[in-house]
Amino acid sequence: INVNGTKVADVRPGQVVGLYTMLKRSPASASVRVESDIAYMLVLRHGHFMACLDDNPEVLGKMQILVHKRELENKKAQMLN
């Protein structure tokens, strides 16, 4: 994962990218570049993503917790800068 051209994280199999953007309907703040010969990705439109969550409120709750943790991490990082 790159932010402003700087690599900030690696994504491992099974990890999710773009969750914050999907739940908050905010513009993407990073880009993802594949560095391996093989990659499998599932691309969802926002409407399809939200429809899946409507059918699975427990999953929505878990995702909201992840987003909340990300927001806290972002605030902490901003305070360090």
Side-chain angles (χ1 to χ4, degrees):
I1 298 178
N2 296 307
V3 176
N4 297 323
T6 302
K7 185 175 180 177
V8 297
D10 288 319
V11 179
R12 302 283 179 223
Q15 288 185 294
V16 176
V17 176
L19 176 62
Y20 187 90
T21 297
M22 288 292 252
L23 288 174
K24 293 293 188 172
R25 291 203 74 142
S26 62
S29 60
S31 58
V32 178
R33 185 179 64 151
V34 176
E35 294 180 341
S36 66
D37 293 334
I38 299 173
Y40 299 97
M41 295 184 291
L42 173 64
V43 179
L44 293 173
R45 293 183 184 272
H46 184 263
H48 295 140
F49 176 76
M50 295 309 292
C52 289
L53 294 180
D54 287 343
D55 292 340
N56 298 284
E58 183 178 317
V59 174
L60 174 60
K62 289 179 181 181
M63 288 185 175
Q64 288 172 328
I65 290 169
L66 291 173
V67 166
H68 179 69
K69 288 179 181 179
R70 174 77 54 85
E71 288 174 330
L72 293 175
E73 289 170 2
N74 289 346
K75 286 180 184 177
K76 186 176 179 179
Q78 288 174 351
M79 290 171 42
L80 295 174
N81 290 332

